[in-house]
């Protein structure tokens, strides 16, 4: 088994068959309405086989699935470099792609199943610190919580012994009342235009949800504050139920067994959410992979960047060159380094979406402002 497959598989060992069956409706969503989908038992068997594939992750195991959904596209005229993606260029040499070529492919509807991977870098413009930036990152500013080392704040053993630092941090982030920024709304626009197959996020801030991207299109790989679970009796509850306690510096307790109620944020050593398994279907079907604001350091999330087929272009908009874009680049990779907001705005400009994006931001900002006003009045 490929090295990335082993690390990813270890995250799923605690799962039971019920976990697979809970994804059954999502499988139907990926394949599309009116198509026969595999039974839950068949899904178990197919996914088990996929993990044993030694070639490109998942690509061989779902080849038949891919061919059944591709369908026919109308003839399209591409630039020389963009046409090389489909082997239609006159020059057999693989030409380097640029941001303009990616925009051209999207405009021509040659890329209609876009998978997006995002990290903390898309939320820093909203005022949420990332984890690793020297000086400004979250790990550099945790001394006030009396931790033995920064990562302890996301470790179950330390949380069980002393949950106060985690909830103090949660309170600080909650009271910031951060809002989505232009990057989130660009991804919302991808969804509105029917181009977003799935958005995989490492972020726990929930800003993707706030921007209007439906839960069916989201995979919150590291969990979120949207829900919570008792650490003793495993009773689930909506995340909003804990905030009255958190804002008053109280540890939220289960009303049934008085155990500590922990937000469903994935701590070190915990299994990833069941929805993360959707990548087994999503990545082999993607015709464009967009990666924004991530260091591609945390596994198994980071290895998903190599799970699309080699013929699929990958676009990295990021502050730094990271992951396989640095140490194992592909001929169809496109890299836009620098400020992520500027990179996304440039892509929107090339797509001719600037005005639509501005209108969406204004519309959603007004909606959020009215909601906050309503909550303030009725609190």
């Amino acid at each position: 088994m490929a090295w990335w497959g082993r690390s990813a598989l270890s995250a799923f060992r605690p799962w039971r068959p019920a976990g697979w069956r809970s994804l059954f409706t999502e499988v139907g969503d990926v394949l599309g309405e009116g198509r026969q989908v595999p039974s839950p038992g068949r899904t178990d068997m197919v996914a088990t086989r996929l993990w044993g594939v030694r070639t490109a992750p998942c690509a061989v195991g779902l080849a038949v699935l891919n061919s059944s959904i591709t369908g026919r596209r109308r003839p399209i005229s591409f630039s020389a470099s963009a046409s090389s993606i489909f082997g239609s260029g006159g020059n057999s040499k693989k030409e380097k792609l640029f941001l303009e070529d990616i925009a051209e492919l999207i405009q021509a509807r040659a890329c209609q199943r876009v998978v997006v991977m995002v990290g903390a870098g898309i939320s820093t413009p909203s005022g949420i610190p990332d984890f690793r930036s020297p000086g400004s990152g979250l790990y550099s500013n945790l001394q006030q919580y009396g931790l033995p080392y920064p990562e302890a704040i996301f470790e179950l053993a330390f949380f069980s012994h002393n949950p106060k630092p985690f909830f103090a941090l949660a309170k600080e982030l909650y009271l910031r009342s951060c809002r989505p920024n232009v990057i989130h709304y660009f991804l919302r626009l991808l969804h509105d235009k029917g181009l977003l197959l799935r958005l995989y996020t490492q972020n726990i801030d929930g800003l993707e949800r706030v921007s209007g991207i439906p839960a069916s299109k989201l995979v919150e790989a590291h969990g979120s504050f949207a829900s919570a679970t008792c650490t003793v009796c495993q009773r689930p509850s909506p995340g909003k139920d804990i905030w009255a306690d958190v804002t008053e510096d109280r540890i939220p307790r289960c009303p049934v067994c008085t155990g500590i109620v922990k937000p469903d944020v994935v701590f070190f050593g915990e299994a990833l959410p069941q929805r993360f398994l959707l990548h087994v279907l999503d990545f082999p079907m993607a015709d464009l992979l967009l990666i924004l604001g991530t260091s591609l350091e945390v596994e198994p999330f980071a290895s998903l960047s190599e799970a699309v087929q080699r013929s699929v272009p990958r676009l990295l908009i990021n502050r730094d060159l990271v992951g396989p874009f640095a140490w194992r680049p592909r001929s169809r990779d496109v890299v836009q380094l620098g400020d992520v907001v500027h990179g996304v705005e440039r892509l929107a400009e090339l797509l001719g979406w600037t005005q639509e994006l501005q209108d969406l931001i204004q519309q959603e900002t007004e909606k959020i402002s009215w909601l906050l006003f309503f909550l303030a009045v009725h609190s």
Side-chain angles (χ1 to χ4, degrees):
M1 182 181 294
W3 67 270
W4 79 271
R6 288 195 296 270
S7 62
L9 181 58
S10 65
F12 303 122
R13 293 192 189 281
W15 291 17
R16 296 187 173 94
W20 289 87
R21 286 193 290 273
S22 69
L23 289 169
F24 182 57
T25 55
E26 296 293 345
V27 173
D29 175 61
V30 171
L31 294 177
E33 295 182 2
R35 297 188 183 274
Q36 184 177 1
V37 299
S39 67
R42 177 65 176 169
T43 305
D44 288 0
M45 182 175 66
V46 170
T48 301
R49 289 179 177 175
L50 282 173
W51 286 114
V53 175
R54 290 183 177 272
T55 54
C58 309
V60 176
L62 290 181
V64 176
L65 180 64
N66 282 329
S67 63
S68 70
I69 66 167
T70 300
R72 295 184 179 272
R73 294 194 182 99
R74 60 182 177 82
I76 302 169
S77 175
F78 298 121
S79 66
S81 56
S83 64
S84 68
I85 293 177
F86 301 100
S88 57
N91 189 345
S92 60
K93 181 181 178 180
K94 296 290 191 292
E95 298 188 48
K96 180 176 175 60
L97 298 179
F98 297 92
L99 193 63
E100 291 81 1
D101 300 307
I102 298 298
E104 185 178 343
L105 290 170
I106 296 174
Q107 285 177 315
R109 306 291 293 185
C111 295
Q112 300 186 60
R113 294 187 299 272
V114 183
V115 170
V116 183
M117 297 172 61
V118 301
I122 77 162
S123 291
T124 51
S126 294
I128 298 176
D130 64 10
F131 286 87
R132 294 175 175 82
S133 293
S136 62
L138 188 62
Y139 285 158
S140 298
N141 294 278
L142 293 177
Q143 298 90 343
Q144 58 181 307
Y145 300 120
L147 302 171
Y149 46 89
E151 292 82 0
I153 202 166
F154 293 114
E155 289 184 353
L156 279 176
F158 183 84
F159 178 84
S160 300
H161 170 70
N162 182 12
K164 290 183 178 180
F166 172 80
F167 285 114
L169 173 64
K171 174 184 176 181
E172 179 186 342
L173 296 177
Y174 176 73
L175 294 179
R176 292 188 184 207
S177 301
C178 297
R179 302 185 184 187
N181 59 65
V182 64
I183 305 172
H184 297 96
Y185 288 120
F186 175 83
L187 300 177
R188 160 70 184 280
L189 203 54
L190 273 180
H191 164 68
D192 290 349
K193 291 179 176 292
L195 299 172
L196 181 65
L197 176 58
R198 202 83 62 192
L199 168 57
Y200 288 73
T201 177
Q202 295 174 279
N203 299 331
I204 60 177
D205 51 50
L207 291 182
E208 296 88 0
R209 292 173 181 248
V210 178
S211 71
I213 298 174
S216 63
K217 292 293 182 179
L218 282 174
V219 173
E220 293 164 318
H222 296 165
S224 76
F225 286 99
S227 58
T229 303
C230 174
T231 56
V232 176
C233 70
Q234 301 300 304
R235 178 181 179 270
S237 62
K240 60 182 177 61
D241 290 356
I242 72 171
W243 290 115
D245 285 327
V246 172
T247 54
E248 294 297 327
D249 298 321
R250 297 189 299 264
I251 304 300
R253 296 282 179 177
C254 176
V256 176
C257 72
T258 71
I260 299 173
V261 179
K262 171 185 164 295
D264 291 334
V265 173
V266 178
F267 277 25
F268 293 118
E270 286 191 295
L272 272 64
Q274 294 177 355
R275 283 183 59 80
F276 185 76
L277 195 62
L278 282 173
H279 74 83
V280 175
L281 290 175
D282 290 340
F283 280 76
M285 290 196 293
D287 49 26
L288 173 64
L289 178 60
L290 176 58
I291 303 175
L292 304 169
T294 174
S295 63
L296 290 181
E297 291 184 3
V298 180
E299 297 293 351
F301 185 92
S303 292
L304 295 184
S305 60
E306 295 199 278
V308 294
Q309 300 183 56
R310 296 194 66 85
S311 60
V312 171
R314 304 184 301 181
L315 170 58
L316 173 70
I317 301 179
N318 208 43
R319 185 182 59 188
D320 304 306
L321 192 65
V322 295
F325 290 87
W327 46 263
R328 191 157 58 201
R330 298 180 181 179
S331 60
R332 289 154 175 82
D333 287 349
V334 178
V335 175
Q336 183 81 10
L337 297 183
D339 183 81
V340 180
V341 167
H342 292 163
V344 167
E345 289 176 336
R346 175 58 178 157
L347 179 57
E349 179 185 357
L350 292 169
L351 288 165
W353 296 359
T354 299
Q355 189 59 53
E356 285 182 88
L357 185 57
Q358 291 175 351
D359 292 344
L360 177 61
I361 292 172
Q362 180 178 352
Q363 167 192 321
E364 292 299 315
T365 300
E366 291 175 354
K367 185 186 301 183
I368 293 174
S369 297
W370 274 109
L371 176 60
L372 293 175
F373 174 76
F374 176 83
L375 293 175
V377 169
H378 291 83
S379 61

